[in-house]
Amino acid sequence: MANFEAYQEYQRIDDYEEDSPPGEEDLLVHVPEGLKGLFKIFLNHVVHIYHFHQKNGFACMMLSEFFELAQLLFVVTFTTFLVNCVEYDVLFANRAVNHTGPIQNPLDRNKVTLPDAILPTQECTARIQENSWIIFLLIMAAIFWIYRLVKVICNFLNYWEIRQFYIKALKIRMDELCNYTWQEVQDRLISLQREQQMCIHKKELTELDIYHRILRFKNYMVAMINKSLLPVHLQLPLLGNVVFLTQGLKYNFELILFWGPGSLFQNKWNLHPKYKRSGNRLELAQQLSRVILLMGLANLLLCPFILVWQVLYAFFSYTEVIRREPGSLGARRWSLYGRLYLRHFNELDHELHGRLGRGYKPTSKYMNSFTSPLLTVIAKNIAFFSGSVLAVLIVLTVYDEDVLTVQHILTAITVLGVTITIARSFIPDEHMAWCPEQLLQCVLAHIHYMPDHWRGNANKSETRDEVAQLFQYKAVFILEELLSPIVTPFILIFLLRNKSLEIIDFFRNFTVEVVGVGDICSFAQMDIRRHGNPTWLSEGQTEASVYQQAENGKTELSLMHFTIKNPRWQPPQESSVFISHLKEKVHHDAQAGPSTQLLLSEAPLCTSLQSNESGTGADNLLASVLAHPIITASGLQGRDHRLIPPSTAASAAASVLASLSTSQLAHTSRGRSHSLLPSSVHPETTMYHSERTVIDSMSNSDSRVRSNALQSEFASAEMSLHAIYMHELHQQSSHPPRTSGQWHNPVPMRDLHTHTGYQAHSGLSSSISVPTTVHLGGWQEVEEEEEDDQEINSGSTPKQGTGDAMPRGKMRSERVLIL
């Protein structure tokens, strides 16, 4: 139950209940008296501090709140006016208007004006008073509007407090807020606690603590989608498997599970203790089932009102846009399900939006690469016939504008124009040549997640349909939102209720208490040992069962993403060990991979092959890595007039990662490194021996003004390269490659560990000896995800899984088998 954006409560600062365990405000022992109130805001409302920054400060937030109230008032009053106060027979000229007296001839009547069609105030009021249904709806709308007004007043006070916190504690003026990134604000939060010695049950506040507070409930939602716990997949006749997740349905899920009456959480930070015990799980499941049933019945009862609101909101929002740009309905957007499915654990909203925004163009190109010959023929003929009629009408109106006064002429012109626009959207560009496999790999480089069966099947309609579930038409989005008030009650009553016991078990098994933070989803800790997947490079490091594993490498990729975004974060020992293992693997594959200079020289050709426009240096690097296996397989020559040796996306990614790490260690910005290298490895003794590339000169020549932007850009590219690389290794472990006369069999990570004599010290590598006899890099081409987030380094430990193509014993005896 909710409209498109108006009910996105989880993105608003509407509820200021504390999100931290109690008692922290009493521990502000070293804080000046004047700042204690501000620091309480810091401790209890970190999530609201983040939203305050993302919504551009006090003025923008209050203005948005005001206009939301004005929109609600406008929709209700304007709709009431249209229904009760307009004489449509006069407006449509179906009845003559008496201006000067009785009119004998209807042709002699004067032109109708708008005031002629509007009823007098007394008559309009009488109509409203006589309609009890209208009065009831107005009373309901008034109650809701007053409720929202009270919330706005409360929000005003809370926004003002947060404004004071930014100005006095963080030393950020409101006119400068838009110039600060969240990363900079977060650094000031951490420094503020360190300087003022604010006690929050732990010595220091970490980046992960802040993310846990902000994303406490969202991490639960991501985990439940990852484990297919929420009933969003529907099997419908004729349509097959359909994903249905709307704003209203998601609002109900959160209302039932997190903050509504009878929810599992007793406050913003603590799961109710009874849900942590297994003894009464059946009783709790029955109780949750009753809550879901009541919520479903409430949705069913309110369905007519919500449906009317949805229709009105959609009408006022999209009618003018559709008339002006009919093709906008054929545009695509990331679905709500896609945003949850593709979201990393501990990924903030702006990070997710930026990453998916960078993946919008390649995903659109991939979806547009599918054309139906039958639909193309039909669309061409519809466009021809409609265009012919439209052309005649346009010529007639140009010849004599009185043609426009003919009834339905304007309607016909509008409908024909919309029809032509829609028909042309089904006609492919005859001058474009697409490569679905390469486009899908480019997509995966940004979205980071994909089912294994997509690989090699990019040109199949089944794969396209699954991508469409993540990347839907805007018309489908509007239709789903309109159907949401009708469908949501049935999903709650007949589907979600059946999962009550699974939900109770999920929250009991996957909730952990973190000191100073409260209860969080255990998946959000990115613990390789507890939630790693053996097929995602964590074999030998994870103890997770199938039930405990995160699917699709979510734990491992989330760990990499978080360490890149927060390079100062010190990961736990298991995470550091996993990153060190991955670093060693990258080194070995880089030795057999192409040089980064060669990849950069191929960048323009690679970008052209992927049908991408000229991009930045980071974009060219990604394009080169993705397209390099195709170039080598085709036997093209390099710029040095030598044949490029065959290689794969994995070896190409490893080479670039090695160079990036070498460059960033030597040229760190603001004392931070974004590579996966442990801090104990000195730049001069780095284990990566790949030659330095253009990246070094770029880092040296860039001014301080551009350093942050370039750092973020290449950090995003680094994460994308690691995603490609990890997907390659996952595919190799899940589907061993067939023998090839030129490629080497990969050394699994667990054998690489023993082979190199690696020893971990405090979670980081202290000394590494790399035998020169090991030759890697012969990974079968499995180009996948380039991520666009931002920085990969400070890591956690993904789990090792069945990451080998061969049995354990056999691989240990044949670590460097040349096929």
Side-chain angles (χ1 to χ4, degrees):
M1 25 180 313
N3 54 39
F4 302 140
E5 288 91 15
Y7 287 92
Q8 297 183 24
E9 303 289 343
Y10 51 88
Q11 292 184 354
R12 275 202 209 115
I13 311 180
D14 286 342
D15 192 343
Y16 272 78
E17 183 180 348
E18 295 182 359
D19 55 17
S20 298
E24 291 179 328
E25 59 273 11
D26 299 329
L27 300 175
L28 300 176
V29 293
H30 300 292
V31 178
E33 203 56 44
L35 294 179
K36 280 192 175 182
L38 298 178
F39 289 152
K40 289 180 183 179
I41 298 175
F42 171 42
L43 296 175
N44 297 327
H45 304 299
V46 176
V47 59
H48 308 316
I49 294 174
Y50 169 72
H51 289 151
F52 190 89
H53 172 269
Q54 292 299 301
K55 296 187 179 185
N56 302 305
F58 179 80
C60 291
M61 296 182 75
M62 286 311 304
L63 198 60
S64 298
E65 294 272 0
F66 170 78
F67 278 115
E68 184 179 320
L69 285 175
Q71 280 187 9
L72 178 60
L73 188 64
F74 172 79
V75 169
V76 172
T77 55
F78 189 50
T79 303
T80 304
F81 170 80
L82 293 177
V83 172
N84 297 279
C85 302
V86 177
E87 190 69 42
Y88 288 97
D89 285 338
V90 174
L91 184 65
F92 297 149
N94 294 328
R95 180 164 61 86
V97 180
N98 187 357
H99 290 286
T100 57
I103 299 177
Q104 302 297 328
N105 186 359
L107 297 178
D108 295 335
R109 63 190 178 188
N110 295 326
K111 184 180 293 185
V112 177
T113 61
L114 282 178
D116 295 331
I118 298 176
L119 296 176
T121 304
Q122 297 81 2
E123 188 175 350
C124 179
T125 304
R127 282 192 176 188
I128 295 175
Q129 293 175 348
E130 293 172 359
N131 193 331
S132 57
W133 179 251
I134 292 294
I135 293 177
F136 175 73
L137 290 178
L138 290 176
I139 293 175
M140 294 289 293
I143 293 174
F144 182 75
W145 191 86
I146 293 174
Y147 164 76
R148 286 296 307 152
L149 178 62
V150 174
K151 297 281 286 185
V152 168
I153 295 174
C154 295
N155 287 341
F156 174 84
L157 301 177
N158 290 315
Y159 295 163
W160 186 261
E161 290 181 350
I162 295 180
R163 178 183 181 273
Q164 295 301 105
F165 175 80
Y166 267 91
I167 296 175
K168 294 183 179 180
L170 298 182
K171 309 301 181 184
I172 298 177
R173 302 200 312 268
M174 288 300 97
D175 57 343
E176 295 180 348
L177 181 62
C178 59
N179 298 326
Y180 286 84
T181 65
W182 170 249
Q183 193 73 32
E184 294 171 322
V185 174
Q186 180 176 271
D187 291 342
R188 291 201 177 198
L189 289 174
I190 296 174
S191 299
L192 179 65
Q193 182 197 351
R194 188 180 300 115
E195 294 170 1
Q196 299 295 339
Q197 295 296 309
M198 296 183 302
C199 301
I200 53 171
H201 304 297
K202 58 194 319 183
K203 194 169 184 180
E204 287 192 359
L205 186 72
T206 67
E207 292 86 348
L208 191 59
D209 292 333
I210 295 177
Y211 275 68
H212 281 163
R213 291 169 181 261
I214 297 173
L215 301 169
R216 190 190 310 273
F217 295 152
K218 289 186 180 180
N219 280 326
Y220 275 107
M221 291 293 292
V222 172
M224 287 189 284
I225 289 292
N226 181 257
K227 299 299 291 185
S228 301
L229 184 60
L230 296 178
V232 296
H233 291 270
L234 309 177
Q235 288 293 334
L236 300 180
L238 302 178
L239 298 179
N241 182 30
V242 175
V243 173
F244 187 87
L245 181 61
T246 61
Q247 296 286 2
L249 183 58
K250 182 174 181 288
Y251 180 84
N252 275 271
F253 287 157
E254 294 177 337
L255 188 67
I256 293 170
L257 299 175
F258 302 126
W259 50 268
S263 66
L264 279 63
F265 276 74
Q266 63 180 6
N267 47 45
K268 291 291 183 181
W269 56 270
N270 186 27
L271 184 70
H272 199 286
K274 64 182 179 181
Y275 293 105
K276 300 179 181 180
R277 298 187 293 267
S278 60
N280 54 348
R281 56 191 291 268
L282 295 179
E283 178 184 349
L284 294 175
Q286 294 177 356
Q287 178 181 335
L288 178 61
S289 178
R290 288 192 294 269
V291 172
I292 296 173
L293 177 61
L294 292 176
M295 193 63 62
L297 293 176
N299 275 266
L300 195 60
L301 181 64
L302 296 175
C303 175
F305 309 103
I306 301 173
L307 182 61
V308 169
W309 172 257
Q310 294 280 65
V311 172
L312 291 175
Y313 189 87
F315 175 78
F316 291 129
S317 299
Y318 298 110
T319 302
E320 189 276 333
V321 176
I322 294 173
R323 186 200 66 80
R324 178 168 39 87
E325 298 179 10
S328 62
L329 291 177
R332 290 185 177 271
R333 66 186 302 277
W334 294 103
S335 67
L336 185 57
Y337 169 75
R339 293 176 185 273
L340 290 175
Y341 177 85
L342 300 175
R343 188 170 195 153
H344 295 294
F345 294 121
N346 300 313
E347 183 173 20
L348 294 173
D349 290 343
H350 73 278
E351 298 170 352
L352 175 68
H353 295 161
R355 179 164 62 89
L356 295 184
R358 288 186 287 271
Y360 183 88
K361 285 187 177 180
T363 311
S364 297
K365 290 179 180 179
Y366 171 75
M367 297 301 291
N368 293 335
S369 66
F370 287 83
T371 58
S372 171
L374 181 61
L375 283 178
T376 300
V377 172
I378 296 175
K380 285 182 178 179
N381 284 275
I382 291 177
F384 172 77
F385 294 123
S386 301
S388 301
V389 177
L390 181 60
V392 172
L393 293 179
I394 292 175
V395 170
L396 291 176
T397 55
V398 171
Y399 178 76
D400 189 349
E401 63 181 11
D402 289 337
V403 175
L404 293 175
T405 62
V406 177
Q407 192 174 23
H408 301 314
I409 284 293
L410 284 177
T411 303
I413 293 176
T414 302
V415 171
L416 288 171
V418 172
T419 302
I420 294 172
T421 302
I422 295 175
R424 286 178 177 172
S425 66
F426 291 97
I427 303 175
D429 188 346
E430 60 183 7
H431 302 293
M432 283 292 181
W434 306 104
C435 178
E437 286 291 345
Q438 282 300 107
L439 288 174
L440 185 58
Q441 302 311 318
C442 189
V443 170
L444 295 174
H446 297 284
I447 68 175
H448 302 173
Y449 296 99
M450 75 165 189
D452 291 342
H453 61 268
W454 283 9
R455 182 173 301 279
N457 298 314
N459 60 338
K460 293 187 177 180
S461 59
E462 293 82 1
T463 303
R464 178 196 182 275
D465 293 340
E466 292 185 16
V467 177
Q469 293 176 351
L470 309 176
F471 197 60
Q472 62 184 176
Y473 283 116
K474 191 170 185 178
V476 175
F477 163 75
I478 296 174
L479 180 61
E480 287 183 351
E481 291 293 338
L482 292 176
L483 293 176
S484 180
I486 302 174
V487 179
T488 294
F490 296 98
I491 292 179
L492 297 179
I493 295 173
F494 297 106
L495 297 179
L496 187 62
R497 284 182 64 209
N498 297 332
K499 291 182 172 289
S500 297
L501 185 59
E502 296 179 49
I503 293 174
I504 294 297
D505 290 338
F506 177 87
F507 277 88
R508 184 184 71 254
N509 295 326
F510 299 121
T511 294
V512 294
E513 183 177 357
V514 177
V515 175
V517 176
D519 291 334
I520 64 168
C521 180
S522 62
F523 285 100
Q525 289 186 302
M526 303 172 294
D527 187 347
I528 297 298
R529 181 181 58 81
R530 182 174 182 181
H531 295 302
N533 193 319
T535 63
W536 283 87
L537 317 180
S538 55
E539 185 179 7
Q541 301 180 38
T542 180
E543 303 172 359
S545 63
V546 175
Y547 175 70
Q548 295 172 321
Q549 295 168 6
E551 306 299 328
N552 299 320
K554 180 74 76 172
T555 300
E556 290 78 4
L557 289 170
S558 296
L559 172 61
M560 303 302 296
H561 174 264
F562 188 81
T563 56
I564 285 185
K565 297 296 296 181
N566 301 274
R568 293 180 180 177
W569 176 62
Q570 296 297 325
Q573 180 176 357
E574 295 84 358
S575 301
S576 298
V577 170
F578 174 83
I579 293 175
S580 298
H581 283 193
L582 183 60
K583 170 201 60 182
E584 294 178 38
K585 190 73 172 141
V586 168
H587 164 74
H588 282 287
D589 282 2
Q591 288 181 329
S595 68
T596 310
Q597 287 183 340
L598 176 61
L599 290 172
L600 285 173
S601 68
E602 298 168 0
L605 175 60
C606 297
T607 304
S608 175
L609 286 176
Q610 295 187 90
S611 302
N612 289 334
E613 298 84 0
S614 296
T616 61
D619 293 334
N620 288 335
L621 277 179
L622 298 177
S624 301
V625 170
L626 289 173
H628 186 73
I630 293 181
I631 295 177
T632 58
S634 63
L636 295 179
Q637 289 186 341
R639 292 192 176 185
D640 56 358
H641 305 291
R642 292 181 299 173
L643 287 176
I644 302 173
S647 59
T648 64
S651 58
S655 297
V656 177
L657 284 172
S659 293
L660 280 174
S661 298
T662 302
S663 174
Q664 289 167 352
L665 276 173
H667 304 283
T668 55
S669 175
R670 293 185 300 175
R672 299 194 304 176
S673 171
H674 296 86
S675 69
L676 283 180
L677 285 174
S679 58
S680 59
V681 180
H682 193 270
E684 284 73 15
T685 60
T686 174
M687 62 177 290
Y688 291 105
H689 300 291
S690 300
E691 52 189 320
R692 297 192 179 182
T693 64
V694 180
I695 301 171
D696 293 302
S697 61
M698 292 178 63
S699 300
N700 286 325
S701 61
D702 285 332
S703 63
R704 295 183 61 182
V705 178
R706 297 182 56 198
S707 62
N708 289 346
L710 283 175
Q711 187 179 43
S712 175
E713 178 183 344
F714 280 96
S716 298
E718 184 181 3
M719 179 61 204
S720 297
L721 292 171
H722 276 98
I724 296 170
Y725 184 75
M726 293 174 67
H727 272 274
E728 289 276 357
L729 300 186
H730 166 68
Q731 285 293 325
Q732 287 294 325
S733 65
S734 302
H735 307 288
R738 295 183 179 180
T739 59
S740 170
Q742 305 173 20
W743 293 358
H744 306 286
N745 200 38
V747 175
M749 290 187 66
R750 65 163 185 269
D751 290 336
L752 181 65
H753 172 64
T754 59
H755 191 68
T756 58
Y758 166 81
Q759 294 181 350
H761 177 69
S762 300
L764 300 176
S765 62
S766 56
S767 62
I768 302 171
S769 60
V770 182
T772 58
T773 57
V774 179
H775 300 286
L776 298 176
W779 302 97
Q780 186 182 13
E781 177 185 345
V782 189
E783 306 145 8
E784 295 196 339
E785 307 179 296
E786 279 176 60
E787 300 186 10
D788 1 346
D789 289 13
Q790 283 144 355
E791 305 163 43
I792 269 194
N793 269 10
S794 357
S796 31
T797 359
K799 303 178 180 179
Q800 250 180 339
T802 63
D804 309 333
M806 304 176 67
R808 185 182 298 258
K810 186 173 181 179
M811 280 301 284
R812 284 178 177 168
S813 62
E814 303 178 18
R815 295 187 185 116
V816 193
L817 176 63
I818 299 180
L819 299 178

